[in-house]
Amino acid sequence: MQRSRRMQLKKWTSALLLGISCFAAKAQVAGGQAAFEYLRMPNSPHVSALGGINVSDPDQDISFALQNPSLMREGLHNQIGLNYNSYYAGISIMNLAYGYHVESIKTSFALGVQYINYGSFTQTDDVGNIYGDFKANDYAITLAASRSYGEHWRYGASLKLANSSLYDKKATALLTDVGVTYHDTGSLWTIGVVAKNMGVTLKKFNPDNTAEPLPFDLQIGVSKRFKHLPLRLMATIHHLYEWDIAYNNPADVTSTNLFGGDTATSKEASFSSKLFRHFIFGGELLLGKRIAISVAYNDQRRQELAIPDRKAVSGFSFGAGVYLNKFQVHYARSYYSVAGAYNEFGLNMCLNKIMGIGKTGDKINWNKEYDDNWE
């Protein structure tokens, strides 16, 4: 049995390393360089409150299983998460996550649906003649599976079907995430590593052009909860495959020629700036078993979106969660820039505590409750 488990973990690790080697050379940094960029967006208020990315939070929240498939486990059995929010400029976003553990094969599954509706647009020609309206939307459907290895390890993978529809242009891609998590209940350390959005484009926006790159990312996260302090600290590092992810804004180029020539220089990011753009720092204050207060700082978001002379709290995010017996309510407020903050609300429910499905439920372990020893 141990040998079989070692062989399985070796295969998953090999797949992870192969995906990294294949995509690292041609991967592009976030910021309009790839198709299906919406796959980088946080999938719940809890994730938003922790800076937009988190691959190591062991909290009993199903949304983290879509951040890192290896975080899916028995303790998230029959939990469903829903959130629908109005984004900037009237854009609406819907996310769904659902988890189920199949005891017979010792495997935990998660289903995720992400839908973004950009609304209606007026179709005109180059001189302003109106020809009607058109719509634009994106969606992705994710199926993840996870299994345990030994006492402290879990490994998992997810398969995603992503679609983008922009007027008369449509594109479809098949992508996968591969993740590994280490969790120690004794020391309360959690470490997660994920290679995200590896795959192929099934249908291109323009069949005559080469396929746009996919939003690949390699992320690692660390979470530490203190035994005698109601606090959990977290750090997430993204874009591990590329060092310089700073955006050199053409507006920052200044002339160095006193006589009005073409000689110009741009202000390049410093070593420390390039380093910390990869980091998201977060913390969660646990008030008993019912309430959690979250705060996070995303340095790349602050550096890229804040106005230089009015940075205020750009890059920061805050949130709160209320944990009841059958429900969880989550709220997040994210500050992208001085243009305004984005508010999110989400609801998680334990379906097996809300409703039963009779004898069928007993056969498929619908009513089964698993102790979540990750806390």
Side-chain angles (χ1 to χ4, degrees):
M1 180 66 70
Q2 292 294 330
R3 184 177 180 182
S4 176
R5 286 182 173 179
R6 290 193 186 97
M7 291 296 294
Q8 286 180 339
L9 184 59
K10 185 176 180 181
K11 290 179 180 179
W12 282 91
T13 305
S14 299
L16 176 61
L17 295 176
L18 178 61
I20 294 170
S21 62
C22 290
F23 285 85
K26 60 181 181 180
Q28 298 291 334
V29 175
Q33 299 296 320
F36 308 100
E37 286 279 4
Y38 65 91
L39 295 174
R40 300 185 190 271
M41 298 184 68
N43 59 298
S44 76
H46 201 169
V47 176
S48 294
L50 294 174
I53 304 172
N54 193 294
V55 299
S56 63
D57 192 335
D59 197 10
Q60 197 174 15
D61 185 341
I62 185 62
S63 65
F64 291 111
L66 299 179
Q67 287 283 305
N68 178 354
S70 60
L71 287 174
M72 182 59 205
R73 57 194 185 273
E74 296 94 325
L76 300 176
H77 173 69
N78 233 339
Q79 184 180 135
I80 186 170
L82 300 165
N83 68 291
Y84 181 87
N85 294 287
S86 179
Y87 199 57
Y88 295 105
I91 299 171
S92 57
I93 299 177
M94 185 275 287
N95 285 284
L96 177 147
Y98 177 68
Y100 203 92
H101 179 71
V102 181
E103 185 66 33
S104 60
I105 57 176
K106 305 295 182 182
T107 304
S108 301
F109 294 92
L111 173 69
V113 178
Q114 181 183 28
Y115 179 77
I116 304 173
N117 182 10
Y118 299 101
S120 297
F121 300 85
T122 302
Q123 180 184 353
T124 66
D125 58 18
D126 54 353
V127 295
N129 295 315
I130 297 176
Y131 294 96
D133 297 328
F134 67 92
K135 297 182 178 181
N137 59 74
D138 295 324
Y139 71 82
I141 301 173
T142 302
L143 179 63
S146 171
R147 301 190 70 179
S148 64
Y149 173 76
E151 183 180 356
H152 300 295
W153 296 88
R154 289 195 72 87
Y155 58 94
S158 62
L159 190 65
K160 290 185 275 192
L161 179 66
N163 184 81
S164 184
S165 178
L166 308 173
Y167 183 41
D168 61 343
K169 303 297 182 183
K170 296 183 179 181
T172 306
L174 189 65
L175 310 99
T176 185
D177 299 346
V178 179
V180 177
T181 298
Y182 171 84
H183 180 73
D184 189 340
T185 55
S187 62
L188 299 178
W189 280 96
T190 305
I191 303 173
V193 182
V194 189
K196 291 184 175 180
N197 300 323
M198 303 176 292
V200 295
T201 300
L202 303 178
K203 181 179 180 180
K204 298 180 291 185
F205 284 108
N206 189 337
D208 298 327
N209 295 341
T210 58
E212 294 83 1
L214 299 174
F216 170 78
D217 200 1
L218 178 62
Q219 302 166 354
I220 183 170
V222 179
S223 170
K224 167 62 177 176
R225 181 174 177 180
F226 299 92
K227 291 184 179 180
H228 305 293
L229 188 67
L231 179 67
R232 178 183 288 128
L233 297 179
M234 290 161 277
T236 304
I237 310 174
H238 54 91
H239 290 91
L240 281 168
Y241 59 90
E242 187 159 349
W243 164 245
D244 187 4
I245 60 173
Y247 171 65
N248 294 319
N249 192 343
D252 294 335
V253 176
T254 58
S255 175
T256 58
N257 189 331
L258 296 177
F259 301 99
D262 295 331
T263 305
T265 59
S266 60
K267 184 179 180 181
E268 186 176 351
S270 64
F271 174 85
S272 60
S273 178
K274 292 179 181 179
L275 173 64
F276 282 103
R277 285 172 191 261
H278 292 269
F279 282 84
I280 299 173
F281 299 101
E284 211 155 56
L285 182 63
L286 310 173
L287 306 179
K289 295 183 178 180
R290 299 298 183 187
I291 299 176
I293 306 298
S294 307
V295 61
Y297 171 70
N298 186 322
D299 189 71
Q300 186 189 24
R301 184 180 294 173
R302 182 175 179 86
Q303 297 297 334
E304 303 293 355
L305 297 179
I307 299 175
D309 57 348
R310 291 188 62 192
K311 290 189 174 182
V313 290
S314 299
F316 285 88
S317 54
F318 306 89
V322 179
Y323 295 78
L324 305 176
N325 186 37
K326 299 178 181 180
F327 300 92
Q328 299 175 17
V329 181
H330 293 279
Y331 166 75
R333 183 173 176 87
S334 304
Y335 291 86
Y336 287 80
S337 70
V338 295
Y342 170 49
N343 298 290
E344 292 180 78
F345 291 91
L347 178 66
N348 290 15
M349 298 175 286
C350 298
L351 293 184
N352 51 344
K353 295 181 180 180
I354 296 176
M355 61 182 181
I357 54 175
K359 295 182 179 180
T360 302
D362 295 331
K363 293 180 181 179
I364 63 175
N365 290 324
W366 173 273
N367 301 318
K368 181 75 173 181
E369 294 185 26
Y370 296 91
D371 293 331
D372 192 20
N373 56 8
W374 283 41
E375 289 293 305

